[in-house]
């Protein structure tokens, strides 16, 4: 049978060979999509939210999870050197509710949320509250320039070389993206976690006040 007779016209005017090519491309795209979903699989904290157990909620930009006191892990012991070259240890702020923000200067959402973090810090600096940034990529000069540009007054640890601070949080609060913000209770345990940029200061302010209201 001649080859031409095996090609039947379709309404779009394309041949079956074209349709076969489309199916191949479609299959390839589906495979890529499946890989992307696997790469973005939720971590245990996100799964806790997705299970619908009412321990968390979703903001406009990222997952926000509060952890009940009885479900929290061990106190996080962390430290490092700030952008000003000063040694910092979590023992220095023992008993405070602590906000830990993971960031770097080239992160666009980090620049956007800087004013909100500073706003919550300014509103609570007279309370038993501490704020500590953890810069995961930059050297001290870049971090200092960022702080001056965006009006950030709390210290940041320069973690790019040692990874000391990031490692300290790896078991209880592994980073799934930057920025990420943690609220530690008065015992130094992770009480809340925001994955992604802040959607304004109100959520973080509420999480800090909730942690302050808890008994030590």
């Amino acid at each position: 049978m001649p080859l031409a007779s095996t090609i039947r016209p379709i309404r779009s005017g394309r041949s079956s060979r074209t349709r076969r090519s489309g199916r191949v491309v479609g299959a390839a795209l589906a495979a890529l999509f499946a890989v992307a979903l696997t790469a973005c699989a939720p971590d245990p904290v996100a799964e806790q939210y997705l299970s619908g157990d009412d321990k968390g909620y979703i903001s406009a930009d990222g997952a926000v999870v509060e952890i009940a006191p009885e479900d929290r892990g061990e106190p996080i012991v962390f430290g490092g050197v700030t952008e000003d070259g000063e040694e910092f240890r979590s023992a220095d702020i023992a008993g405070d509710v602590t906000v830990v923000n993971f960031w770097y200067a080239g992160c666009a959402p980090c620049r956007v949320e800087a004013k909100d973090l500073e706003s919550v810090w300014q509103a609570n600096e007279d309370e038993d509250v501490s704020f500590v940034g953890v810069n995961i990529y930059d050297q001290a000069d870049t971090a200092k320039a960022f702080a001056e540009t965006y009006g950030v007054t709390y210290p940041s640890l320069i973690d790019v070389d040692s990874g000391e601070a990031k490692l300290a949080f790896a078991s209880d609060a592994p980073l799934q993206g930057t920025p990420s913000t943690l609220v530690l209770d008065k015992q130094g345990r992770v009480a809340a976690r925001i994955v992604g940029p802040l959607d304004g200061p109100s959520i973080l302010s509420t999480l800090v006040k909730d942690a302050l209201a808890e008994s030590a």
Side-chain angles (χ1 to χ4, degrees):
M1 182 181 295
L3 179 61
S5 65
T6 65
I7 302 177
R8 298 177 182 176
I10 57 177
R11 291 181 181 179
S12 66
R14 293 180 297 177
S15 70
S16 60
R17 180 178 300 175
T18 302
R19 287 188 290 170
R20 286 196 297 271
S21 298
R23 288 196 294 270
V24 170
V25 171
L29 289 175
L32 287 174
F33 183 67
V35 170
L37 286 178
T38 302
C40 299
D43 65 12
V45 177
E47 287 175 347
Q48 181 187 67
Y49 166 75
L50 293 172
S51 69
D53 58 8
D54 295 326
K55 291 182 179 178
Y57 52 90
I58 290 291
S59 74
D61 294 303
V64 182
V65 176
E66 288 190 81
I67 304 169
E70 63 271 18
D71 294 329
R72 294 171 192 168
E74 294 298 315
I76 308 294
V77 178
F78 67 104
V81 178
T82 72
E83 69 268 72
D84 293 322
E86 298 179 355
E87 289 283 343
F88 169 87
R89 296 294 163 195
S90 52
D92 300 337
I93 55 173
D96 282 3
V97 170
T98 303
V99 174
V100 183
N101 175 253
F102 292 84
W103 69 282
Y104 62 96
C107 160
C110 300
R111 297 194 292 270
V112 173
E113 73 171 7
K115 66 181 186 302
D116 294 328
L117 287 159
E118 180 65 20
S119 173
V120 180
W121 162 235
Q122 292 286 347
N124 290 279
E125 63 177 336
D126 293 331
E127 305 291 337
D128 294 328
V129 175
S130 293
F131 271 57
V132 181
V134 178
N135 188 302
I136 61 174
Y137 286 135
D138 303 318
Q139 296 296 338
D141 288 347
T142 302
K144 289 170 72 172
F146 181 99
E148 292 173 3
T149 300
Y150 294 96
V152 177
T153 61
Y154 56 85
S156 280
L157 306 180
I158 304 303
D159 206 47
V160 61
D161 294 324
S162 69
E164 179 182 353
K166 188 174 179 180
L167 181 62
F169 287 93
S171 60
D172 286 291
L175 291 184
Q176 299 299 313
T178 306
S180 288
T181 304
L182 306 175
V183 178
L184 310 185
D185 65 16
K186 297 172 185 178
Q187 299 178 42
R189 304 174 301 172
V190 178
R193 178 179 174 190
I194 302 173
V195 181
L198 302 182
D199 183 27
S202 60
I203 290 176
L204 179 59
S205 180
T206 298
L207 294 174
V208 169
K209 292 185 184 305
D210 287 349
L212 277 173
E214 296 176 358
S215 58

